[in-house]
Amino acid sequence: LSTKKSGELKIDNLIYTRHIRAMGNFIRKTLSMNSLEMLSEQLSSLFAGWPNPYYFAAVLDEKDRSRARCVLHGRHGLSASGSTLCWKESPVIDEESVRSDPAIRILLAQLLQNEEETMGYLISGMQAWNMRAQERFEEEALFLSAALNAVIGNRRLAEANNAILRLAEHDYLTGLYNRRGFLRELERRLQLPEMQGKILTLFSMDMDGLKPINDVYGHQES
């Protein structure tokens, strides 16, 4: 009996080690990810070997915290993602089928968090519970939290950079390109394939006498 038990533990640890190594490689990939679509696509293949019959992870909507978007969903080896749900009404998409599945007797739930906010949650369904299953589930939650934190941080940084770039290249009052933005857009358009071999004609006009209009009606009118 002890020999059999040792063999089972050895196989179990080998699978676990392989999974941890795969997750470490995945975390490195998230350093350049900035969309939940990319994250969801990679997660589905990573968790394909999940030993439990059910798993579900969702990310809370930043504008409407009552809604969540599924980024990881698997049941008996079949996976799907991308759906949106109202998590306060039902934390999973397929609640009724999960309740009626004889292979799922226990559900474990864990919030996915960083130091500042709750980003989403992870749910796992299993037939039987033991301490090692609990530990692994918590490790998976920590892993998903780290991955989500990286992707959301990258996306927010990209949005901030785009906003800064727009401010640097557009006039605040009119929303039109300033000199820097105009030259950059002109250079971009000149590189387009359909612009090659054509002659460019540029007209420039200087308008005087705008100060009285600005003083009377405001800059927005001019």
Side-chain angles (χ1 to χ4, degrees):
L1 182 61
S2 61
T3 302
K4 180 182 178 182
K5 193 65 175 178
S6 297
E8 292 174 351
L9 287 173
K10 181 179 180 180
I11 295 175
D12 190 41
N13 284 329
L14 285 174
I15 295 173
Y16 175 68
T17 301
R18 185 162 58 246
H19 200 188
I20 287 295
R21 189 176 295 123
M23 288 193 297
N25 292 331
F26 178 79
I27 285 292
R28 283 191 287 272
K29 293 180 182 179
T30 63
L31 297 177
S32 60
M33 289 185 188
N34 58 13
S35 75
L36 294 178
E37 289 79 10
M38 295 174 61
L39 177 68
S40 181
E41 181 180 346
Q42 296 289 330
L43 282 175
S44 295
S45 59
L46 180 65
F47 278 76
W50 182 280
N52 296 327
Y54 182 77
Y55 53 87
F56 181 88
V59 181
L60 297 181
D61 190 305
E62 294 181 69
K63 296 181 179 179
D64 182 0
R65 303 287 285 182
S66 69
R67 300 185 67 81
R69 179 177 181 180
C70 171
V71 293
L72 179 64
H73 181 206
R75 186 160 168 257
H76 298 294
L78 301 177
S79 61
S81 60
S83 302
T84 302
L85 69 156
C86 185
W87 74 271
K88 289 186 177 181
E89 295 178 1
S90 175
V92 297
I93 296 173
D94 48 353
E95 181 178 359
E96 291 303 321
S97 58
V98 170
R99 287 179 178 274
S100 61
D101 193 329
I104 304 173
R105 298 183 57 199
I106 297 172
L107 287 178
L108 298 180
Q110 178 74 37
L111 293 177
L112 304 176
Q113 300 172 303
N114 58 23
E115 294 181 355
E116 300 176 351
E117 62 181 334
T118 296
M119 300 173 289
Y121 56 90
L122 171 67
I123 296 176
S124 178
M126 59 191 67
Q127 175 69 27
W129 176 91
N130 56 55
M131 184 59 71
R132 188 63 191 121
Q134 175 78 28
E135 291 173 347
R136 288 193 176 182
F137 172 72
E138 293 175 356
E139 289 162 359
E140 302 289 354
L142 287 173
F143 159 76
L144 278 177
S145 294
L148 266 181
N149 187 54
V151 173
I152 292 175
N154 290 341
R155 189 195 65 207
R156 289 175 177 173
L157 180 60
E159 292 173 350
N161 288 336
N162 290 335
I164 292 172
L165 181 61
R166 177 171 178 78
L167 289 174
E169 295 185 345
H170 290 76
D171 179 72
Y172 176 77
L173 292 174
T174 64
L176 300 175
Y177 282 118
N178 56 22
R179 177 184 176 87
R180 175 181 176 180
F182 170 75
L183 293 176
R184 185 172 182 270
E185 179 64 13
L186 178 64
E187 182 179 0
R188 184 190 71 81
R189 296 200 179 197
L190 289 176
Q191 300 301 322
L192 296 175
E194 59 267 26
M195 297 296 292
Q196 304 307 307
K198 294 186 178 181
I199 298 175
L200 172 68
T201 303
L202 178 64
F203 291 91
S204 177
M205 299 177 62
D206 183 20
M207 299 180 66
D208 295 325
L210 291 178
K211 187 177 186 306
I213 299 176
N214 291 338
D215 293 342
V216 176
Y217 300 103
H219 290 272
Q220 295 290 354
E221 291 298 324
S222 62

